[in-house]
Amino acid sequence: MRKILIVGGGYAGFYTAWKLEKKLRRDEAEITVVDPRPYMTYQPFLPEVAAGSIEARHAAISLRSHLRRTRLIHGTVTRIEHADRAVTVQPRDGEPFRLGYDIIVVTAGAVTRTFPIPGVTEHAIGMKHVEEAVAIRDRLLDAFDRASMLPPGPDRSRLLTVTFVGGGFSGVEGFAELLSLATALLKSYPELTFSDLAFHLIEARDRILPEVTDRPGEWVVRTLLERGAHIHLETQLVSAVDGHIVLSTGEEFDSHTIVWTAGNGANPVIANNTDLPVNERGSVIVRADMRVGTSDTPVPDAWAAGDAAAVPDLASSVAGALTVPNAQHAVRQGTLLASNIVASLRGKAARDYVHHSLGVVATLGLGKGIFQWKGIVITGFLAWVMHRGYHVLALPTWERKVRVFLVWVTAVLFGRDIVSLLSVQHPRRAFLHGALPRAHSAPSREVRIG
């Protein structure tokens, strides 16, 4: 039996393994997925997780629940040595070990791209994983609780100031959803007013949402400004030391919550620790059929897809264009990749990846959204419904679709759940507090009843 090793259990990796299980006979190949997390994150739902519109667990697809014939290894691949058909795996516990394979599938994804800006590493949080979205939501809810007990002033303002760095889809959706949540929270906090809120979106370019054309992008900016947001275009973050924001324009303010969504960076394992061919951006070089290599120099038994792969975009009119690193491509690449691996094992020809965009859709808060497909632009409530409809259909497995849909129905009937669980990040705090000796405690006395 051939041993197929999939590096990464994100969109492309999950779909590749999921489809291979359906297409391969049990005696054809053994499938192994290596990923440090036991679940696949459905990233388009993270803004709604941060806003409390979706339960965090419902945006995570359990690998063990849905990959029944796949061996799962919870660890991180730290090196790929394709010449030896082996990788080095670092488990969470224990020593690193080498793992052999016959066929490798690189779907390790990208990582959050950061810059050496003072204070960012210490105070900012990303929004690429479920735990980050949950932490952002709990941080905002906790800030409201604390601010409601303070008089108007700098301390209250700092708690209720939120800063997002990055104006791509992830940043704009997260920013708009969190602004929607904060505005709705004011109904439950009579001590606070709308003027206490300050939401800042910082983007280095002269526009946000580069995936849409100019006018729809301008409409999004106007909509956010009308909702009280501060949009800083052609602006860079200079410092965030101790939560004090300094912008390239000279503006300064204190911010309790800083969210970094300024794009993706190359996965360091793929960029630096593999003998597979990579381009200048640190992505695996692949052909249109997702085999690693070029048409002249293919690499045998190596495939790649998703954010870690430089997949040629055959649907683009631009020569040499690569597919955009997003969920729409990763899901379809994973599905086709599984079919191509099966075809290769059975001596058949692999197919090239060609996908014409279905358009882009973004949520901008409860009941607000934008959709664009070529020259067609839809905004407002209908676009928001289209966003939810598209993503609930794209979400893998009917089990997750039903769970998410029921949460949405519950939210319509009863509103958002505004309970903060920030304390779960320190689960032993109450226990340790109770276990501390009391310096001035009175001696206990036995009391009899009856």
Side-chain angles (χ1 to χ4, degrees):
M1 293 176 63
R2 304 297 298 277
K3 296 180 180 180
I4 302 174
L5 174 63
I6 301 175
V7 180
Y11 293 112
F14 173 82
Y15 272 89
T16 300
W18 198 31
K19 297 301 182 180
L20 282 174
E21 286 192 348
K22 298 176 184 295
K23 296 175 180 293
L24 287 174
R25 300 187 305 271
R26 290 185 177 272
D27 60 348
E28 278 190 283
E30 296 177 353
I31 309 167
T32 300
V33 172
V34 180
D35 195 279
R37 288 179 170 81
Y39 55 82
M40 182 207 85
T41 303
Y42 191 72
Q43 291 182 356
F45 276 161
L46 293 186
E48 294 199 60
V49 171
S53 300
I54 291 178
E55 286 293 327
R57 287 176 298 174
H58 298 168
I61 313 301
S62 169
L63 299 181
R64 290 195 178 274
S65 296
H66 300 290
L67 300 180
R68 302 296 180 85
R69 293 171 47 195
T70 298
R71 178 190 178 193
L72 300 174
I73 298 177
H74 297 304
T76 301
V77 171
T78 58
R79 187 169 187 81
I80 300 173
E81 298 171 276
H82 190 63
D84 297 332
R85 299 296 195 274
V87 299
T88 302
V89 179
Q90 175 62 66
R92 183 172 179 180
D93 300 303
E95 296 297 320
F97 61 91
R98 282 170 63 85
L99 181 66
Y101 62 83
D102 296 309
I103 299 171
I104 191 169
V105 179
V106 180
T107 53
V111 298
T112 300
R113 181 183 60 183
T114 58
F115 300 98
I117 300 173
V120 167
T121 303
E122 295 81 5
H123 299 284
I125 184 171
M127 200 170 71
K128 199 173 183 64
H129 302 287
V130 171
E131 56 268 30
E132 293 174 323
V134 172
I136 292 169
R137 174 179 180 269
D138 287 344
R139 189 175 180 84
L140 180 68
L141 294 174
D142 179 70
F144 265 75
D145 287 333
R146 294 167 59 186
S148 66
M149 301 302 295
L150 295 174
D155 290 338
R156 175 192 279 191
S157 297
R158 179 183 59 83
L159 284 169
L160 298 180
T161 298
V162 176
T163 304
F164 271 69
V165 184
F169 256 79
S170 175
V172 171
E173 287 189 311
F175 179 81
E177 283 286 348
L178 214 63
L179 176 60
S180 177
L181 171 61
T183 304
L185 284 174
L186 291 173
K187 299 177 182 178
S188 302
Y189 290 86
E191 305 90 346
L192 305 176
T193 65
F194 183 79
S195 61
D196 291 319
L197 301 179
F199 273 68
H200 297 264
L201 177 62
I202 303 168
E203 171 53 48
R205 291 168 292 189
D206 60 353
R207 53 165 300 172
I208 61 174
L209 294 180
E211 294 86 351
V212 302
T213 53
D214 291 342
R215 289 197 173 185
E218 293 170 357
W219 177 87
V220 173
V221 171
R222 289 197 306 272
T223 300
L224 293 174
L225 290 174
E226 291 170 358
R227 292 164 57 184
H230 304 272
I231 310 297
H232 307 269
L233 299 179
E234 297 184 273
T235 304
Q236 295 180 347
L237 177 64
V238 175
S239 175
V241 175
D242 296 330
H244 182 71
I245 302 297
V246 180
L247 303 181
S248 58
T249 57
E251 187 174 354
E252 299 183 24
F253 52 88
D254 292 324
S255 182
H256 177 64
T257 302
I258 305 171
V259 184
W260 183 273
T261 61
N264 295 324
N267 190 303
V269 175
I270 308 304
N272 304 316
N273 295 311
T274 178
D275 56 358
L276 295 173
V278 298
N279 63 13
E280 65 281 358
R281 295 186 177 181
S283 300
V284 180
I285 298 173
V286 301
R287 311 189 317 178
D289 61 1
M290 288 173 290
R291 296 178 189 266
V292 174
T294 64
S295 56
D296 297 327
T297 56
V299 178
D301 300 324
W303 307 76
D307 293 358
V311 181
D313 189 355
L314 300 184
S316 174
S317 58
V318 179
L322 303 176
T323 57
V324 178
N326 61 22
Q328 191 175 132
H329 282 298
V331 168
R332 287 164 176 80
Q333 287 173 7
T335 301
L336 178 61
L337 182 51
S339 297
N340 282 351
I341 291 174
V342 173
S344 176
L345 290 174
R346 296 173 181 173
K348 299 179 181 179
R351 293 185 292 119
D352 288 345
Y353 176 75
V354 183
H355 173 65
H356 296 274
S357 174
L358 302 176
V360 292
V361 61
T363 175
L364 300 175
L366 202 60
K368 303 176 181 66
I370 183 169
F371 167 82
Q372 181 176 16
W373 181 70
K374 297 184 178 180
I376 301 173
V377 178
I378 300 174
T379 60
F381 181 77
L382 178 58
W384 176 76
V385 172
M386 294 172 67
H387 173 273
R388 287 200 161 186
Y390 171 79
H391 283 300
V392 79
L393 290 175
L395 188 68
T397 79
W398 279 102
E399 172 259 343
R400 274 297 181 263
K401 298 179 196 290
V402 172
R403 287 181 186 274
V404 169
F405 182 75
L406 291 178
V407 170
W408 282 339
V409 172
T410 304
V412 170
L413 296 176
F414 303 107
R416 301 175 189 264
D417 189 339
I418 61 171
V419 176
S420 170
L421 295 178
L422 189 63
S423 58
V424 302
Q425 298 179 29
H426 308 281
R428 298 183 68 245
R429 179 176 291 171
F431 171 77
L432 293 175
H433 179 75
L436 290 176
R438 297 294 186 266
H440 303 289
S441 60
S444 60
R445 295 182 181 178
E446 182 179 1
V447 178
R448 293 186 179 181
I449 300 178

